[in-house]
Amino acid sequence: MSVPASQSTAPTSRRRRQRRLTAGAVLLVLATTACSSLGRTAVGTVSYAIGPETAVSLTSPKVTGCHRLPPSGTTQVYNNTLVDMIMYRTPNCTGKDTVYLGSRLANNVAPRALPWRSYSFVH
């Protein structure tokens, strides 16, 4: 005895299962996307010198926002993170005199140039 295709239960249960899997995958992607920017950090360290004898290292700083350096600024920066940076001569990450500092690179300021006073990450 054969059953007409419209009455068969196998295709509908397969379709339901496929729809559930698809819906679950979509929800997982949406949840991951929504939470991905929360607390993102630049994996690695940012190091800079303050004067001739003091060095500072920050481990995994946040990717978002402007990061201020000490008021005196710095003339040596080491970006040992997985994210590129932009260096600014102002304390609030503004101005046109900037330098793009790629991931795992360093920058030294020219002898008579102004020091770096802030930085942000490219994300």
Side-chain angles (χ1 to χ4, degrees), residues 4-108:
S6 62
Q7 295 178 359
S8 174
T9 60
T12 57
S13 66
R14 273 192 220 143
R15 282 190 212 129
R16 285 185 194 142
R17 195 172 339 144
Q18 184 63 33
R19 287 181 191 149
R20 286 183 188 146
L21 287 173
T22 303
V26 167
L27 287 174
L28 180 62
V29 168
L30 288 175
T32 304
T33 304
C35 296
S36 67
S37 64
L38 300 175
R40 280 187 53 206
T41 61
V43 177
T45 58
V46 173
S47 304
Y48 55 89
I50 304 172
E53 296 182 17
T54 306
V56 176
S57 281
L58 302 170
T59 303
S60 297
K62 290 206 181 259
V63 172
T64 57
C66 178
H67 300 272
R68 289 185 173 197
L69 295 168
S72 61
T74 184
T75 58
Q76 299 173 349
V77 178
Y78 302 95
N79 179 12
N80 197 21
T81 69
L82 300 177
V83 183
D84 297 349
M85 298 169 58
I86 298 176
M87 303 300 302
Y88 299 88
R89 300 207 189 270
T90 61
N92 57 356
C93 295
T94 60
K96 294 182 181 179
D97 191 11
T98 63
V99 165
Y100 190 94
L101 186 57
S103 174
R104 301 187 184 239
L105 294 175
N107 181 271
N108 293 322

